Amino acid sequence: MALFEKQFTEIRDFLKQREGTSAYREFVHAAPASWPSGMRRSVVLAQDMAVELGSPQEESSSCLIWHDDPARVRDGHITLIGPDIGESTGKGLPFGKVVLVSADGFNEENSYDRYRELDGVRYDLDLKGYMMRAVSQYQREWSRVSAEAVKDGFSFGVLGGSLIDALRRKEYVRAVEVIFVTASRGDVSGLVPIADGAMRIIGALNKMLQELEFDCDTCDNTDVCNDVAELRSMREKLMKKGETGHGR
Amino acid sequence: MAADAARNTRILAVCGKGGVGKTSISAALVRGLLAGGSRKILAIDADPAVGLATALGMNVEKTLDDVRNSLIDRLESGAKEDRRDLVSLLDYEVFGALVESGGLAFLAIGRPETEGCYCQINDILKDIIGSIAGSFDYVVIDGEAGIEQVNRRVMETVTDLLLVSDASAKGLNVVRTIRDVSARLVEHGRAWLMLNRIRGAAELDRLALPDGMDLLGWVPEDENVRLTDIEGGSLLAMRPGPALEAVAACLPRLESAGTERSGQPLKMK
């Protein structure tokens, strides 16, 4: 299933444009991440904070997209464009995050639920000294890291590794790659149209599953369906199932 | 999650008749708790008049009511959100409404919730506040005057009800009413009586205090507090005086009572 073919290509282009610059680096997450639990007391107040990522006053973009071809996802790779958490010179940084997942068995009926499940994993990360607030609707993610956590070595390697580990626990996930961007507002804003495009596809997918009628003349998502062949194919399959009484 | 988080949090709700000095007591409690070292404290102004913000020197830009209304506008303009999206959006917005200063975070409730079509939003907001509160060591809630918030179950998970009265019979009657209502609605926790603006021990002796309540302490009339109120100043910046000292003197007992009974939150029946 290649719902996000265009976004995968755009992400690779985004990375290619920055590869080789001093801001660009990659890590490979080999061993499972080990970081103490926050015991669900995850509020990091400004006085205890070393760095704030993607606050409401800063640029922020976050999305998760998937592909059925494992070759499109470099499993365990964490790419960072910009300063790492411990290298931040100021308290606030713009923040971009893209999670690429390769997974088996996504189809017209389970794709949206599985997306929700994968997207929900970030809320379950309970890392000491790390606080995260996210709004899927706006593709924004706002987080704070405490000074104590930074002193103990918290980094995007730890954060990305923990996310990769958690996503890999889903039985249908084959590969996970994470990209973080903190270099500049301009760099993060380069991710915004990609995340917007992904969100429109996810919105169309949700609508398709929620609404039994498929009237393209009145649907707000016609342009998205016209752009994404996979969505059209899913819609046709759902329509056929509806006609034969095997719909959702 | 909220229950796990709230396990070690003391949630103090300050209630009583209007005009007895709940806001000053709340601010003085916050000051005393902040003086106790590296604690995280959340102050919640549940009074629509938003007086605690002034008493703590906080500049409020957004209240919980603003958060609720902007979401209602969004839903009424056709946005469709499922519960998880609503939770994450509200959680994000509520956290954005917190005003921070040192170890203190402050949240103003604004106008009280209205009954009707938005129960789900109101329920989610309560859960979110409960979840955020669980990350703090202490939560001090300055309640609105009277009994309504207890009746509306706004204070569902408080560990300590601090019922404030002055020397007036009216003030003490309201305390009795709140105690009776909360005894019907609340399973665990403790209700304390705190007397404010008392003109000495002799006056205290003459008062007919409600039966069966622990008197946490009494706070003398203090010209500093009165002047700070008149000037709209912050009790956090006020120079020490008898009222602040009296409130601070109550804290060790309050704190030790919490550890004796494992900090079990109050649960509404």
Side-chain angles (χ1 to χ4, degrees):
Chain A
M1 183 171 284
L3 274 175
F4 302 102
E5 189 62 51
K6 184 179 173 209
Q7 285 71 29
F8 268 79
T9 304
E10 289 172 341
I11 292 291
R12 292 297 170 215
D13 289 346
F14 178 91
L15 293 176
K16 210 170 183 180
Q17 285 162 18
R18 288 155 180 86
E19 200 172 351
T21 65
S22 58
Y24 185 101
R25 68 192 116 163
E26 288 183 0
F27 320 98
V28 177
H29 174 60
S34 167
W35 192 260
S37 161
M39 307 298 284
R40 298 290 177 196
R41 289 171 75 90
S42 62
V43 165
V44 177
L45 294 181
Q47 69 160 11
D48 304 321
M49 182 177 80
V51 63
E52 182 165 44
L53 306 164
S55 77
Q57 291 74 42
E58 272 290 1
E59 190 68 84
S60 176
S61 174
S62 172
C63 73
L64 179 147
I65 53 179
W66 65 92
H67 205 292
D68 57 0
D69 180 1
R72 304 297 298 273
V73 177
R74 299 177 306 161
D75 189 32
H77 273 248
I78 299 167
T79 304
L80 171 60
I81 300 167
D84 205 333
I85 287 166
E87 300 162 355
S88 166
T89 50
K91 285 222 161 188
L93 286 175
F95 182 65
K97 187 178 92 181
V98 179
V99 182
L100 306 176
V101 174
S102 169
D104 287 341
F106 275 54
N107 60 36
E108 63 280 2
E109 288 190 343
N110 67 17
S111 288
Y112 186 71
D113 288 343
R114 283 189 171 185
Y115 159 71
R116 306 283 298 167
E117 198 170 68
L118 294 176
D119 187 52
V121 164
R122 61 180 163 169
Y123 298 102
D124 294 331
L125 290 183
D126 180 26
L127 305 171
K128 190 178 179 189
Y130 170 72
M131 178 193 86
M132 191 277 295
R133 257 74 198 172
V135 197
S136 301
Q137 301 94 313
Y138 305 148
Q139 302 99 52
R140 290 189 67 91
E141 191 168 309
W142 169 20
S143 51
R144 287 178 171 181
V145 183
S146 73
E148 192 184 347
V150 170
K151 188 169 65 93
D152 293 342
F154 194 85
S155 66
F156 283 118
V158 172
L159 179 58
S162 302
L163 186 58
I164 289 169
D165 291 341
L167 286 165
R168 279 177 178 164
R169 283 186 209 115
K170 304 291 175 196
E171 73 279 8
Y172 47 83
V173 169
R174 295 289 163 262
V176 186
E177 177 179 350
V178 183
I179 298 145
F180 295 112
V181 180
T182 59
S184 69
R185 283 181 175 223
D187 286 292
V188 174
S189 64
L191 293 174
V192 170
I194 304 173
D196 283 347
M199 204 60 209
R200 286 214 69 198
I201 293 171
I202 289 160
L205 189 61
N206 182 28
K207 184 171 181 183
M208 202 181 283
L209 291 165
Q210 297 295 324
E211 297 180 9
L212 296 174
E213 287 187 23
F214 300 97
D215 182 356
C216 297
D217 292 336
T218 58
C219 180
D220 297 337
N221 294 319
T222 309
D223 58 329
V224 190
C225 281
N226 288 341
D227 277 352
V228 184
E230 191 71 33
L231 264 182
R232 287 199 302 278
S233 157
M234 289 170 79
R235 187 186 66 207
E236 281 156 19
K237 284 179 188 169
L238 285 168
M239 285 172 76
K240 276 185 193 156
K241 283 182 183 173
E243 283 163 13
T244 55
H246 296 294
R248 216 173 180 228
Chain B
M1 179 176 132
D4 286 349
R7 210 168 32 219
N8 300 311
T9 304
R10 293 290 296 277
I11 304 178
L12 320 176
V14 181
C15 304
K17 179 183 158 295
V20 296
K22 291 184 298 297
T23 299
S24 297
I25 295 287
S26 300
L29 282 168
V30 168
R31 177 176 168 143
L33 290 167
L34 283 170
S38 57
R39 293 160 164 165
K40 286 186 202 170
I41 295 156
L42 173 64
I44 298 179
D45 194 344
D47 189 334
V50 201
L52 187 60
T54 308
L56 294 174
M58 296 290 193
N59 184 21
V60 177
E61 292 184 0
K62 193 190 272 186
T63 67
L64 196 70
D65 188 46
D66 297 329
V67 171
R68 178 172 45 232
N69 288 337
S70 73
L71 182 65
I72 289 170
D73 288 346
R74 183 178 155 87
L75 294 177
E76 287 184 344
S77 67
K80 289 179 182 166
E81 313 281 6
D82 68 16
R83 186 176 169 88
R84 200 199 76 184
D85 285 341
L86 280 178
V87 170
S88 63
L89 177 61
L90 286 169
D91 184 49
Y92 185 96
E93 296 288 348
V94 169
F95 203 82
L98 291 182
V99 185
E100 292 177 56
S101 173
L104 173 65
F106 177 85
L107 179 66
I109 301 292
R111 218 169 38 117
E113 68 187 52
T114 48
E115 296 296 332
C117 309
Y118 301 107
C119 309
Q120 190 190 13
I121 296 175
N122 293 329
D123 286 348
I124 291 171
L125 283 170
K126 279 182 198 168
D127 287 348
I128 288 169
I129 292 171
S131 174
I132 290 176
S135 295
F136 287 83
D137 299 304
Y138 283 88
V139 179
V140 177
I141 305 172
D142 181 21
E144 69 178 284
I147 190 71
E148 269 311 296
Q149 280 174 333
V150 177
N151 265 337
R152 286 204 314 268
R153 303 188 170 196
V154 169
M155 313 235 181
E156 279 190 344
T157 54
V158 296
T159 57
D160 300 82
L161 267 179
L162 268 66
L163 303 178
V164 179
S165 177
D166 55 14
S168 70
K170 283 180 191 167
L172 289 166
N173 279 337
V174 170
V175 160
R176 283 188 192 91
T177 308
I178 296 176
R179 179 203 59 188
D180 292 346
V181 171
S182 63
R184 272 192 283 115
L185 296 175
V186 168
E187 282 178 2
H188 305 289
R190 190 185 288 263
W192 303 91
L193 174 63
M194 203 151 175
L195 295 170
N196 192 26
R197 297 194 207 110
I198 303 299
R199 295 181 177 177
E203 182 171 86
L204 180 70
D205 288 342
R206 287 198 298 274
L207 297 177
L209 301 182
D211 295 333
M213 287 189 72
D214 285 324
L215 177 63
L216 184 62
W218 62 274
V219 180
E221 273 202 318
D222 186 335
E223 189 63 8
N224 285 333
V225 174
R226 202 177 77 86
L227 290 174
T228 302
D229 266 351
I230 289 169
E231 291 163 4
S234 163
L235 263 71
L236 297 186
M238 194 179 93
R239 64 188 166 85
L244 292 177
E245 284 164 14
V247 172
C250 295
L251 288 175
R253 193 166 163 226
L254 193 67
E255 292 177 72
S256 63
T259 54
E260 279 162 18
R261 58 177 185 75
S262 77
Q264 181 71 269
L266 297 171
K267 268 322 254 187
M268 290 297 189
K269 288 175 184 170

